[in-house]
Amino acid sequence: KPKAYRYKDEATYGEGPRLGIMAQDLAKSKAGAATVGKLPDGEHLGFDVNKGISAALASVARLHERLEKVESLGSRAKAKAA
């Protein structure tokens, strides 16, 4: 669930309000945990954009495989009905 927040250390992380998913919440799922890492301060968690992009691309590839399978099943069913 998205949450509104501000960084305590705005000098390091930027000023103003933010809206996003908390890294701690992402880390609760297997897929989300793969996209979270320690921030440079070594204490806090943050979303790793590079890992997130990799995870998103892997998800798209998996969805593509599943779609091809469903389309193949549909084509076979049509051929049997004809």
Side-chain angles (χ1 to χ4, degrees):
K1 214 180 208 191
K3 295 184 181 173
Y5 64 95
R6 294 179 84 104
Y7 283 112
K8 291 178 185 175
D9 184 358
E10 290 188 339
T12 301
Y13 300 111
E15 294 181 13
R18 308 282 177 129
L19 180 65
I21 298 172
M22 300 289 102
Q24 294 81 351
D25 292 338
L26 274 175
K28 292 176 184 175
S29 74
K30 185 177 178 182
T35 65
V36 173
K38 293 265 185 187
L39 292 175
D41 66 9
E43 183 180 341
H44 297 95
L45 292 177
F47 177 71
D48 185 318
V49 174
N50 292 325
K51 290 179 181 179
I53 290 171
S54 294
L57 291 173
S59 295
V60 169
R62 178 67 180 128
L63 288 171
H64 179 71
E65 290 172 358
R66 293 177 69 187
L67 178 60
E68 283 184 325
K69 185 176 181 180
V70 168
E71 289 175 338
S72 173
L73 293 172
S75 295
R76 282 190 257 158
K78 269 187 176 178
K80 281 184 179 181

